[in-house]
Amino acid sequence: MAKEKKVETLEDIPGIGEATAQKLRDAGITDIIELAVMPLADLVAIAEISENQARKILEAARKFADIGNFVQGDQILEKRKHIAKLTTGSQALDSLVGGGLETQSITEFFGPFGSGKTQIIHQLLVNVTLPEEKGGLNGEALLIDTENTFRPERISSMSKALNLNPEDVLKRIHVARAYNSSHQMLLVDKAFEIAKEHPIRLIAVDSLTAHFRVEYSGRSSLAERQQMLNRHMHDLLRFADVYNAVVAVTNQVSARPDVFYGDPNQPIGGNIVGHTATFRISLRRSKGEKRIARLIDSPAYPEGEVVIQISDEGVRDG
Ligand code: ATP
Ligand code: MG
């Protein structure tokens, strides 16, 4: 697609010295394109420079940034030919999203406490190691665990249920605890490094929003929270694109007092998360082990609902 250009660093932009570059990198701005698309006020605040200086830097960055090209439809079609699908363990749920979770996209699972989000993530971590003819991607997985809910024992039981060797599967799952939202975002950079050495085909974030919700509580920090979440989602999407990987994220719901119609339980992060995630699946409890999964706002597939079951063996049709 885009032509290979020689790599240029932040310091190559007139007006950016070592110290400013470092401040930007600390704030997660690591390349010229990220700089070029920064709001002026952010640059002033992060780099601690005057508006005038910031304006000049942005002008230069925009001139130098490889902002990409328009590509022809046939090239997009060519790239989409490489999209692969990862099974969830339930054929019904797979068919809701056209045969499994797509690579090069983000799929969001949202629902209240106990609705099965973490269980589904565990199942995906196992399934990605399966060969392609069994619905896997014959790959390895990365999990960014923000709530300390990863349980290797669950991986073992789910692996055994699929006649897989639990130890082999566990070796193919790379887990990192994220201690706060900025750590969580940095771990995506780390993911790019790990993926150079391991065939990572799934990156899961459980939970996408929990840290953000706690750290940016209150109305005044809402805009900032949305901006950070947006950046995080786009980093994940870039990973999905570069490595032809599945991205699966979980999201809690919160009762929003300002929603007077429909379901007041809205996923956290609202539009920002919703617009970047290609597939949004809501989960809710039904009887016993049964859960109802519903596809919301998909550009390509009709809305629909299926019943799944979460048992000791893992995720199956309900
Ligand atoms: P939270 O928002 O709190 O993170 P969640 O949506 O991630 O919730 P899960 O942890 O995925 O919820 O779901 C917990 C439920 O999964 C349990 O209440 C139980 O019904 C089911 N579950 C967990 N482990 C097993 C198991 N070994 N066998 C059967 N069901 C299980
Ligand atoms: Mg959970």
Side-chain angles (χ1 to χ4, degrees):
M1 279 216 269
K3 269 189 295 179
E4 287 267 315
K5 265 197 178 177
K6 88 174 187 333
V7 184
E8 307 202 52
T9 65
L10 294 175
E11 285 91 339
D12 293 338
I13 301 291
I16 297 195
E18 233 172 81
T20 306
Q22 195 51 49
K23 282 180 200 160
L24 288 167
R25 290 198 180 100
D26 289 345
I29 311 295
T30 56
D31 61 27
I32 294 172
I33 173 109
E34 285 170 334
L35 175 65
V37 298
M38 265 180 103
L40 181 74
D42 282 12
L43 181 57
V44 169
I46 290 168
E48 297 166 298
I49 52 179
S50 73
E51 252 191 56
N52 219 359
Q53 285 172 295
R55 197 168 286 120
K56 282 186 188 143
I57 288 174
L58 284 185
E59 265 171 35
R62 284 173 189 159
K63 206 159 68 193
F64 288 114
D66 180 359
I67 55 165
N69 277 311
F70 285 93
V71 292
Q72 285 159 314
D74 61 338
Q75 287 174 300
I76 296 177
L77 182 67
E78 182 55 36
K79 181 161 172 256
R80 286 189 59 83
K81 277 191 197 142
H82 299 291
I83 290 180
K85 313 234 176 177
L86 171 62
T87 183
T88 59
S90 154
Q91 282 186 10
L93 181 51
D94 288 353
S95 60
L96 202 60
V97 289
L101 304 196
E102 279 188 358
T103 60
Q104 303 178 26
S105 298
I106 299 179
T107 302
E108 174 197 357
F109 292 94
F110 72 92
F113 157 79
S115 56
K117 304 179 293 291
T118 297
Q119 294 300 312
I120 291 177
I121 295 297
H122 278 73
Q123 187 70 64
L124 294 171
L125 296 171
V126 174
N127 290 357
V128 75
T129 70
L130 286 167
E132 275 151 37
E133 63 274 16
K134 292 201 167 146
L137 299 172
N138 191 22
E140 301 188 14
L142 290 175
L143 170 66
I144 299 178
D145 182 9
T146 75
E147 302 186 299
N148 202 17
T149 49
F150 175 72
R151 294 290 173 274
E153 300 79 10
R154 280 302 278 143
I155 300 294
S156 293
S157 7
M158 289 176 175
S159 303
K160 284 182 200 149
L162 294 172
N163 290 320
L164 297 169
N165 178 327
E167 278 182 23
D168 291 346
V169 174
L170 283 165
K171 278 203 186 83
R172 299 172 82 178
I173 301 174
H174 309 255
V175 184
R177 276 293 307 280
Y179 293 99
N180 56 42
S181 66
S182 29
H183 187 209
Q184 181 178 334
M185 291 173 73
L186 279 175
L187 285 168
V188 183
D189 296 342
K190 190 78 190 170
F192 278 90
E193 280 173 40
I194 296 176
K196 287 183 191 143
E197 280 155 26
H198 295 267
I200 307 294
R201 302 299 304 282
L202 166 68
I203 177 164
V205 188
D206 185 15
S207 135
L208 175 77
T209 46
H211 283 316
F212 289 92
R213 182 190 200 180
V214 174
E215 291 165 30
Y216 299 89
S217 57
R219 254 196 126 61
S220 60
S221 47
L222 191 65
E224 198 185 347
R225 179 185 85 181
Q226 294 302 78
Q227 195 188 338
M228 297 310 262
L229 258 175
N230 189 28
R231 184 176 301 161
H232 188 38
M233 292 288 281
H234 280 94
D235 289 346
L236 290 166
L237 197 53
R238 195 154 53 90
F239 187 94
D241 265 343
V242 172
Y243 292 104
N244 194 21
V246 170
V247 178
V249 304
T250 69
N251 198 352
Q252 269 260 4
V253 293
S254 68
R256 284 194 27 200
D258 54 329
V259 174
F260 297 112
Y261 54 89
D263 187 353
N265 287 322
Q266 299 290 320
I268 317 282
N271 291 339
I272 290 293
V273 176
H275 288 154
T276 317
T278 315
F279 298 98
R280 314 193 85 181
I281 296 168
S282 91
L283 296 167
R284 61 180 200 271
R285 272 176 172 278
S286 181
K287 284 195 196 104
E289 294 180 332
K290 307 236 189 262
R291 300 287 186 280
I292 295 162
R294 180 178 184 82
L295 180 69
I296 313 269
D297 295 339
S298 162
Y301 300 98
E303 258 197 36
E305 257 187 19
V306 298
V307 182
I308 60 171
Q309 181 176 338
I310 300 176
S311 71
D312 201 39
E313 299 193 332
V315 178
R316 298 290 185 272
D317 282 338

